[in-house]
Structures are given as structure tokens and as C-alpha cells.
């Protein structure tokens, strides 16, 4: 993470927020001129977003967000409910296309290529930027077919043995192989919640994406299953770039390299995780992580 | 007082009882110092309770009276007839009773009226009047007495709300029992008549016989009509037509459901969905003459032309299974499409997101995730549509013909179970001839088959629902 370039550290964290924060009504602060503090940009950007605005019909959900996600980095996104974390994450592989009223403005690039280019095909994009959802959503198929689904539709393999191998390695990477080795052909929906979520991760890994987006992947899981997934995220970051939305600050602190704090659709602060949780640059971030609102 | 005036009177009594009951509860509430809060229930319930006491028993009394008095009066009349008439067989006795009633009502009757008949008619008039009087007096006094009793019983601490709600619960229960009892009644009457039928025609002949020609000799000296009650041709015909209908309706219905739930914009959906469902609102008799007058001739002529062109020695009968099946298919399209639409929409969005998030296209997602997930529900919908097709009558009566051919060729004319039931029961015949009774046996078979299909289909649909809730 040495490559991170500090571009906005000079901005005085206090100058945009003129009133003292109050626990009662944090939303009363004037956020109109707010600029992101911290280190939103890196030299080794895998994805770089500039001035992103997102609208649901007339309602704006994301305001001028600029942010890089570095190669092999784990970026955590935190913030109060409804601040637009999921919305922003879903822009990154154009899952927002499935919502008719949603429109995205600004520049979003994956390795320099504009992902909202009208000529670009979303299918290969989503194969490169995979997504794991909040609720485990295995298909009503066998465990094997769940993992083989992606490789099959992308025609990644044409021999059964190759497919078997992909399934096995993906399950291994997701830390699920030992548990399901003997029941590959029983339904994926028959697994426990934590196993289902790891199955969904295996399913995503199987198409060998470059970036994995995770939207609160542990919110439906118990602490033990959560711990397993967190471990997994650490391992995965060797091969993948990961953006994770979470409500658990401990989780963000444990798994991520950098943390981005969103507030009411704006990106307030991005900093190295340790800094965010020990000595944040912005009052709003501090208020959130100390539990004053959220 | 005649019956309708009596009913109006009772309704007025009920209203009065309500007002009095409510008034008394208010008075009681005021008199004691707690006021309104002193009452166990709202005044409305005290009024309703009084009204129920006033209305229900007297209405039941009137109902029972009206049902019973006909047969009791008949018995009285028969007793008054001369001895030689009383001993006549029941059917002739019934005729005489009818004549007497006609005389009493002042209708025209034949010339063979006996003096004892006019006498009986006179006494019938008297009895009727007395009975009416008695009913009126009894009903009104029961109403007033019970209302007064219940009015007198009103106390602030009386649990009027519980009692009223109990009464309504009982009423609802009675209504649902009525539906169940009717079903049971129908089933049993069909079963009994069928048993009568199976006494003349062995059940194996009926179930496995390959020939159907229900014309039986009514008199011993009649020739030519021996009667054959093998139901196989009818069932084959039914299945053939239903199969054709499903072959048309399932793909079309399913595809339109997929289009509507996955592709159509909300605007298109709001217009197209009701239009498709309108198909379900067309009376089947309209489909029937559409099939018989438009489709069947079209198929026949088109077929004749094609076969001639191809040099084949074939033709399409003007009452072909094909015509009936196709039109029936159109009729059940909305069934299949709206049921499939429901189950497809019930597939959670998260499954679609999961598939799209892996880079699947929309059509891959639909084919490989949405449809497999919805499949049990879709199968259930198709089975319901099949049971609808098997039981459908009007279209086949008009378009499928009467010839009980045992064939799997859709270009020929076949007949179905429902068509045969209709033809067996219309027209003049003895009601206990095997010919008529066979209609009940057919009905029983049909009922069993559709019941089994429905049960199975609903079971499948329900199981599917549980999976996602
Ligand atoms: N499909 C949608 N249609 C309209 N508005 C939406 C839609 N999805 C989200 N929004 C709005 O966009 C804003 C951001 O929502 P988003 O789901 O991104 O929040 P979030 O930060 O993920 O919240 P949470 O932590 O509760 O998941 C909210 O105000 C929400 O009401
Ligand atoms: Mg969210």
C-alpha cells in the first residue's frame, strides 16, 4: 500500500462542517460543499471512478463520488443505512441496469476501459467483476451445478474433467470443499446459511473474475460462519481485488486495507483502514465509528 | 298474512328489537355511575344481540314450516280420500293430488274430476289458510317473546360482544358447512346412481369395454339396439382433445407469461395482461360456435385442399377432434399464462441477480435459473388447466361430434365423456334405464379423474410456494 498517493490530505477536515455535530440530528449538517478527505486515489488502480452521480428517477442517491480501487486491494465501504453503499457497489458491474429507473453519470473505468460505454457488452464485464450478495442465493440446483453454472454459460471449458477441476478448485478456494466433497450432487439450497454463502463465493470465483464485489456478505450469518468468510477474504485478496460493503466496523477493520465512509450519498472520507478507525480525518467519520449515529 | 308480508314484518321486528336493546343498554349505562365505561360491550352489541334473539328463531321457524307443511298437508288430504283411492299406487296418487291442487288454485283441469276431488280441494284451501295463519302467529309471537326475554336480560356486565361474535362465527361455520355438505350430497347421489348402473352393466365392461353405443331396447320386442357401455372410446376422445388443447395452450401460455413477467415494460404489462385474461371471460358457448362454425369448416376445407395438392387420400372430418382441441386450447391459454406468471414472479429477484452477476444474459438466466426454479409451479398450473380441459363441455358438444370412434387420429371425429353425458340426459327416456344411469357412471369417472388431477396440482403448487416463503 505504499503506492497510495495523498492528494487531498491538505483539506482541513473541519472547514466544510461549520456546526458542531450533535447526536440528535446529524443530518442537519450542511453537506452541500463537502469534499472527500483522505486518500481516495492510488497509483495501481484496478477500477477508477470519477464524479459518479446516481439517480433513482429524480431522486439522487450518489453525489460526485470519486474513488479508486487498487489492484489486489480490499476496500471496505461503511456508512449509515441508506447512504448509497449498495447503490455505488452495484454500479461497478452495472447490476443497476436491472433497475429501470436507475441512471448513472460520471466516469467508471476498469483498467482504463469505460464500463458504461454504450458499445460495451455487460456480459463479459460481469464475468470480470463478480458479485456476492447480502443474502446467500444459491440456485435451486445441485452444489456442483451451482459452481459449474458460470463456466458453463461462458463456455470456459469443453471437457467434463476440466469442469470438475474448476468446481473443485473453486470450492477449495472458498473453503467449502471438505464439507461438500461427498455431496456435490445434492441441492445447494440444502446447505447451512454460512455454507450457502461460501457456495455463492465459490460460484463467483469459478468464472475467475478480476474484481469481486461483496454486499454485506456476512449479515445473514452467525459469528463462526462470519469468521470463516473473513478468513477467506484475506486469502482471496492475493488473487482478486475486492470491494466489500459492511455494517460491522470490526469486520471492516479486520479484512480491509482501505476504508471508505459514505454519508447521505456522499463519499466523506477514504483512508487506510487503521487510520480511519484510530484517527479519522473527518468529524462525520469519527461520529459514525464512535457510534454517535448510524 | 302471506309469507312475504310475514318476512317484512319480522324484519321490522328485528329493527325494533335492535333499537330497544341498544336503548336499554344506554339507559343502564347512564343509570349506574360508571356511565358508558360501565358496559361490558359497546351498545351496538346489546342491540345486535336482542335483534338476533328476535330474528333467528322466528326465521328458522318460518323456514322449517315452509319446507314441512307441503308433505304434511298431502298426508292429511290422502287420509280424506275414499278408501279405494288411498290404496292406489303412489304415482297415480300423486296425479290425483296434483289435480286437487290445481282445482284449489283455480286452474283449468280435465273433465274427469270426481266429486271427492272438489271436496278435497275445498278442504285443502281451508288447511292452507289455517297453516298460514298458524305460521304467522307463531313466528311473530316467538320473535316478540324472545326479543323481550333478551331485552329483559340485558345487564351492564353481560358479555354481549362475545355472544354476538360467537353467533357470527357459528353463522360463518354454517355457510362453509353448506358448501361441503352440498359437495358430499352430489358425490353420494352420483355414487348411488352409478351403483344402480353397475348392477345392470358389469363395472369391468364399463371400464374396459371398447365399444360405446348406449341405445338399449326399451321394449322386449324392439330389435337392433343391444346397448354397449364400454367407456374407453370416450376417455380416449377426451384425452385426445385435451392433449391437443394442451399442446397449443402450454407453449403459448408459458411463453406469454415469460414475456409478460420478464421482458414487458410495466406499461405493456398493464394493457396486455387484462387482454389475455379477457379470453377467460368469453362464455364457452361462444368458443363452441366459433369452433363449430368457423374453425371446423376452415380446417376441413383447408385440409381437403392440402391433401389434394399433396395427392393424399385423406380428409378432415367436419367435426374433427382437431378443431375442438384447438379452440379449447385458446380457451385455457389465460389459465396457463396467469398461473405461470404468478409462479415466475414469485421466483426471488435475488436468484436473477445472482445469475446476472455471474455474467449470464437475460435469456440464459430465464432458461437456466428462473424456469427451473418455477417449474414445479408451472407443472401445477398445467395440471389445473388439464383438469379444466377434461371437464370442459360446451365446446366439445358443439364441435366434437357424437361418433364414439376409438381413434388417435385428430382429423377424425371423436366424442368425449362430457358430450355423452349431455346427450344421454337430454330428450325423453325412462329415468332408471341403463342408458340414463350410465351418465352417472361417466360423471363419477370424470369427477374422480379431475379431482385427482386438481388435488395433485394444488399439492405441487403449494409445495412450491413453501419453498420460497
Ligand atoms: N430500487 C430503488 N429504487 C428507488 N430508490 C432506491 C432503490 N434502491 C435504493 N434506493 C434509494 O437509494 C438510497 C441508497 O440506497 P442503498 O440501498 O444504496 O443504501 P445502503 O447504503 O446500501 O443502505 P443499507 O446499509 O441499508 O443497505 C436510499 O435512499 C434508497 O432509498
Ligand atoms: Mg445495502
Amino acid at each position: 500500500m505504499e503506492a497510495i498517493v495523498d492528494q487531498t490530505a491538505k483539506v482541513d477536515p473541519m472547514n466544510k462542517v461549520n456546526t458542531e455535530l450533535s447526536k440528535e440530528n446529524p443530518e442537519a449538517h450542511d453537506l452541500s460543499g463537502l469534499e472527500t478527505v483522505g486518500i481516495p486515489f492510488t497509483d495501481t488502480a484496478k477500477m477508477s471512478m470519477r464524479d459518479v452521480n446516481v439517480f433513482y428517477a429524480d431522486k439522487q442517491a450518489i453525489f460526485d463520488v470519486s474513488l479508486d480501487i487498487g489492484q489486489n486491494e480490499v476496500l471496505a465501504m461503511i456508512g449509515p443505512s441508506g447512504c448509497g453503499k449498495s447503490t455505488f457497489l452495484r454500479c461497478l458491474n452495472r447490476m443497476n441496469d436491472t433497475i429501470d429507473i436507475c441512471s448513472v453519470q460520471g466516469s467508471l473505468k476498469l483498467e482504463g476501459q469505460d464500463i458504461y460505454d454504450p458499445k460495451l457488452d455487460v456480459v463479459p464485464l460481469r464475468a470480470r467483476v463478480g458479485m456476492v450478495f447480502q443474502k446467500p442465493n444459491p440456485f435451486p440446483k445441485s452444489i456442483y451445478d451451482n459452481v459449474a453454472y458460470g463456466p458453463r454459460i461462458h463456455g470456459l471449458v469443453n471437457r467434463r474433467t476440466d469442469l470438475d477441476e474448476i468446481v473443485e478448485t473453486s470450492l477449495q478456494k472458498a473453503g467449502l470443499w471438505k464439507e461438500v466433497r461427498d455431496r456435490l450432487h445434492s441441492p445447494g439450497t440444502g446447505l447451512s446459511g454460512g455454507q450457502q454463502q461460501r457456495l455463492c463465493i465459490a460460484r463467483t470465483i469459478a468464472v475467475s473474475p478480476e474484481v469481486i464485489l461483496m454486499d454485506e456478505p456476512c449479515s445473514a450469518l452467525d459469528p463462526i460462519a462470519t469468521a470463516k468468510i473473513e478468513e477467506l477474504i484475506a486469502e482471496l485478496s492475493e488473487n482478486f481485488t475486492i470491494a466489500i460493503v459492511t455494517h460491522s466496523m470490526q469486520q471492516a477493520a479486520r479484512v480491509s486495507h482501505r476504508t471508505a465512509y459514505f454519508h447521505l450519498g456522499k463519499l466523506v472520507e477514504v483512508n487506510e483502514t487503521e487510520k480511519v478507525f484510530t484517527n479519522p480525518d473527518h468529524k462525520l467519520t469519527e461520529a459514525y465509528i464512535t457510534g454517535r449515529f448510524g | 298474512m302471506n309469507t312475504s308480508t310475514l318476512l317484512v314484518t319480522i324484519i321490522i321486528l328485528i329493527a325494533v328489537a335492535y333499537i330497544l336493546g341498544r336503548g336499554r343498554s344506554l339507559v343502564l349505562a347512564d343509570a349506574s355511575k360508571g356511565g358508558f365505561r360501565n358496559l361490558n360491550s359497546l351498545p351496538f352489541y346489546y342491540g345486535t344481540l336482542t335483534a338476533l334473539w328476535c330474528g333467528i328463531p322466528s326465521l328458522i321457524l318460518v323456514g322449517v314450516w315452509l319446507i314441512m307443511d307441503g308433505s304434511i298437508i298431502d298426508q292429511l288430504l290422502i287420509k280424506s280420500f275414499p278408501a279405494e283411492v288411498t290404496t292406489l299406487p303412489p304415482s297415480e296418487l300423486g296425479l290425483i293430488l296434483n289435480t286437487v291442487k290445481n282445482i284449489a288454485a283455480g286452474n283449468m283441469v280435465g273433465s274427469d274430476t270426481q266429486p271427492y276431488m272438489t271436496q278435497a280441494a275445498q278442504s285443502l284451501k281451508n288447511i292452507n289458510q289455517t297453516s298460514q295463519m298458524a305460521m304467522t302467529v307463531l313466528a311473530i309471537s316467538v320473535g316478540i317473546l324472545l326479543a323481550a326475554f333478551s331485552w329483559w336480560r340485558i345487564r351492564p356486565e353481560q358479555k354481549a360482544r362475545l355472544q354476538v361474535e360467537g353467533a357470527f362465527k357459528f353463522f360463518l361455520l354454517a355457510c362453509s358447512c353448506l358448501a361441503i355438505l352440498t359437495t358430499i350430497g352430489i358425490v353420494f347421489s352420483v355414487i348411488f346412481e352409478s351403483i344402480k348402473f353397475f348392477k345392470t352393466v358389469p363395472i369391468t365392461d364399463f371400464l374396459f369395454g371398447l365399444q360405446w353405443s348406449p341405445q338399449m331396447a326399451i321394449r322386449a320386442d324392439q330389435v337392433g339396439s343391444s346397448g354397449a357401455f364400454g367407456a374407453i372410446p370416450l376417455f380416449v376422445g377426451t384425452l385426445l382433445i385435451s392433449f391437443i388443447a394442451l399442446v397449443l395452450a402450454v407453449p403459448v401460455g408459458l411463453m406469454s407469461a415469460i414475456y409478460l413477467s420478464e421482458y414487458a415494460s410495466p406499461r405493456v404489462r398493464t394493457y396486455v395482461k387484462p387482454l389475455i385474461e379477457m379470453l377467460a371471460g368469453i362464455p364457452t358457448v361462444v368458443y363452441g360456435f366459433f369452433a363449430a362454425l368457423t374453425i371446423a369448416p376452415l380446417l376441413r376445407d383447408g385440409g381437403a385442399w392440402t391433401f389434394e395438392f399433396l395427392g393424399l387420400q385423406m380428409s378432415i372430418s367436419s367435426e374433427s377432434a382437431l378443431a375442438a382441441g384447438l379452440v379449447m386450447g385458446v380457451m385455457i391459454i389465460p389459465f396457463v399464462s396467469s398461473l405461470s406468471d404468478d409462479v415466475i414472479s414469485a421466483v426471488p429477484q435475488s436468484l436473477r441477480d445472482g445469475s446476472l452477476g455471474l455474467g449470464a444474459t437475460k435469456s440464459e438466466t430465464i432458461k437456466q435459473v428462473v424456469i427451473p426454479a418455477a417449474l414445479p409451479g408451472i407443472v401445477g398450473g398445467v395440471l389445473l388447466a388439464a383438469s379444466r380441459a377434461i371437464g370442459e363441455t360446451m365446446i366439445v358438444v358443439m364441435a366434437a361430434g357424437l361418433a364414439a370412434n376409438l381413434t388417435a387420429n385428430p382429423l377424425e371425429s371423436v366424442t368425449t365423456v362430457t358430450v355423452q353425458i349431455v346427450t344421454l340426459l337430454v330428450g325423453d327416456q325412462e329415468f332408471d334405464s341403463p342408458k340414463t344411469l350410465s351418465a352417472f357412471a361417466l360423471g363419477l369417472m370424470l369427477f374422480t379423474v379431475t379431482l385427482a388431477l386438481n388435488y395433485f396440482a394444488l399439492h405441487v403448487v403449494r409445495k412450491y410456494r413453501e419453498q420460497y416463503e
Side-chain angles (χ1 to χ4, degrees), chain A residues 1-292:
Chain A
M1 290 299 125
E2 291 78 23
I4 290 171
V5 181
D6 189 346
Q7 295 184 338
T8 45
K10 302 250 158 49
V11 178
D12 175 6
M14 301 293 289
N15 70 350
K16 299 300 178 196
V17 180
N18 21 40
T19 42
E20 207 34 89
L21 284 170
S22 69
K23 188 182 168 99
E24 292 72 43
N25 194 0
E27 265 136 66
H29 302 295
D30 180 20
L31 293 176
S32 52
L34 185 136
E35 275 177 36
T36 308
V37 301
I39 35 176
F41 307 125
T42 80
D43 278 350
T44 57
K46 179 80 186 174
M47 297 190 80
S48 58
M49 280 60 68
R50 294 291 179 274
D51 302 315
V52 176
N53 287 289
V54 183
F55 300 83
Y56 288 107
D58 298 335
K59 192 175 150 269
Q60 188 162 4
I62 295 287
F63 299 82
D64 286 320
V65 170
S66 297
L67 177 69
D68 281 348
I69 306 177
Q71 180 80 43
N72 289 29
E73 178 185 36
V74 178
L75 174 79
M77 302 185 193
I78 58 171
S81 192
C83 67
K85 305 178 297 287
S86 300
T87 303
F88 185 69
L89 196 72
R90 289 167 64 93
C91 291
L92 302 183
N93 70 345
R94 289 182 56 177
M95 279 306 282
N96 279 343
D97 289 9
T98 58
I99 301 169
D100 290 334
I101 56 170
C102 182
S103 65
V104 179
Q105 292 168 4
S107 129
L108 295 95
K109 291 197 169 122
L110 173 64
E111 291 188 329
Q113 186 187 21
D114 182 9
I115 60 176
Y116 275 84
D117 185 345
K119 283 187 293 242
L120 181 118
D121 186 3
V122 298
V123 168
L125 169 71
R126 288 188 188 141
R128 291 176 67 190
V129 184
M131 187 150 196
V132 175
F133 297 84
Q134 176 167 5
K135 250 182 69 188
N137 55 352
F139 304 132
K141 299 171 182 287
S142 71
I143 295 173
Y144 185 96
D145 287 337
N146 261 283
V147 182
Y149 182 82
R152 274 187 184 136
I153 54 173
H154 292 300
L156 296 183
V157 284
N158 30 26
R159 279 209 315 270
R160 178 81 195 192
T161 46
D162 293 350
L163 191 59
D164 287 349
E165 200 182 309
I166 292 189
V167 170
E168 181 175 341
T169 47
S170 309
L171 283 169
Q172 258 161 358
K173 279 189 204 154
L176 192 62
W177 175 249
K178 286 202 194 93
E179 288 155 70
V180 299
R181 184 161 46 192
D182 314 319
R183 46 193 281 212
L184 284 178
H185 295 283
S186 57
T189 43
L191 295 172
S192 76
Q195 290 174 326
Q196 286 188 10
Q197 192 63 302
R198 277 180 283 150
L199 177 62
C200 294
I201 293 177
R203 188 173 75 182
T204 310
I205 297 173
V207 290
S208 11
E210 296 155 38
V211 182
I212 302 177
L213 310 173
M214 299 185 172
D215 192 351
E216 302 181 34
C218 302
S219 63
L221 306 182
D222 69 89
I224 294 173
T226 303
K228 279 200 178 139
I229 297 212
E230 287 176 2
E231 224 170 86
L232 177 60
I233 291 172
E235 283 165 26
L236 291 178
S237 70
E238 287 170 18
N239 302 314
F240 305 94
T241 300
I242 296 172
I244 177 171
V245 169
T246 174
H247 273 290
S248 152
M249 278 173 273
Q250 293 85 337
Q251 183 169 72
R254 279 192 297 262
V255 302
S256 70
H257 304 133
R258 271 192 312 155
T259 298
Y261 173 66
F262 284 77
H263 189 92
L264 292 178
K266 300 194 171 144
L267 179 56
V268 175
E269 171 167 355
V270 190
N271 256 322
E272 288 191 39
T273 299
E274 205 178 306
K275 177 155 174 52
V276 170
F277 288 107
T278 51
N279 178 24
D281 280 337
H282 202 289
K283 277 268 172 193
L284 282 168
T285 318
E286 188 184 341
Y288 181 71
I289 62 165
T290 53
R292 280 208 270 151

Side-chain angles (χ1 to χ4, degrees), chain B residues 138-345:
Chain B
L138 215 60
I140 291 182
S141 40
V142 163
I144 292 178
L145 274 179
L146 287 178
F149 168 69
S150 134
W151 181 83
W152 168 78
R153 269 203 334 173
I154 292 177
R155 298 275 180 279
E157 64 276 8
Q158 190 186 7
K159 295 190 168 58
R161 183 170 52 84
L162 286 183
Q163 291 170 12
V164 169
E165 279 172 359
F168 276 114
K169 206 169 82 189
F170 183 79
F171 178 68
L172 297 178
L173 180 75
C175 287
S176 56
C177 285
L178 192 70
I180 295 171
L181 286 180
T182 320
T183 317
I184 293 176
I186 293 175
V187 171
F188 273 94
S189 81
V190 171
I191 288 179
F192 285 133
E193 302 292 336
S194 306
I195 288 173
K196 266 197 229 164
F197 171 71
F198 290 131
K199 277 183 189 145
T200 39
V201 178
I203 189 162
T204 46
D205 285 9
F206 174 74
L207 286 181
F208 305 114
L210 296 182
Q211 209 196 343
W212 177 265
S213 80
Q215 303 310 330
M216 268 197 121
I218 293 175
R219 295 187 312 275
D221 54 345
Q222 243 178 356
V223 284
S225 319
S226 56
F229 292 95
I232 293 277
L234 308 189
F235 278 95
V236 170
T238 306
L239 291 180
L240 179 63
I241 291 182
S242 307
F243 179 74
I244 296 172
L246 290 176
V247 164
L248 175 68
V250 170
V252 176
L254 191 57
M255 307 273 178
S256 68
I258 291 174
Y259 174 72
L260 284 180
S261 61
E262 299 289 323
Y263 289 101
S265 68
R267 241 174 71 90
V268 173
R269 204 176 143 89
T270 46
Y271 289 110
V272 175
K273 214 175 157 167
L275 277 177
I276 292 184
E277 269 154 20
M278 215 168 74
L279 282 178
I282 298 176
T284 53
V285 65
V286 175
Y287 279 114
F289 65 69
F290 176 62
L293 302 182
T294 313
I295 300 298
L298 208 68
L299 282 177
R300 185 194 54 204
D301 298 343
W305 189 83
T306 320
F307 290 137
E308 195 179 285
F309 183 76
L310 295 174
L312 290 173
Q313 288 295 321
M314 279 167 79
S315 69
I316 300 184
S317 139
S318 62
E319 289 181 324
S320 62
L322 191 60
L326 287 180
V327 174
M328 195 193 276
V330 173
M331 181 193 82
I332 57 179
I333 284 174
F335 247 95
V336 179
S337 97
S338 79
L339 284 169
S340 321
D341 191 20
D342 287 350
V343 289
I344 290 176
S345 313

Side-chain angles (χ1 to χ4, degrees), chain B residues 350-375:
Chain B
S350 67
L351 283 186
R352 295 187 181 90
D353 282 351
S355 170
L356 293 174
L358 288 172
T361 63
K362 195 157 188 170
S363 73
E364 281 165 346
T365 303
I366 292 169
K367 271 187 302 210
Q368 305 203 23
V369 174
V370 177
I371 298 296
L375 198 62

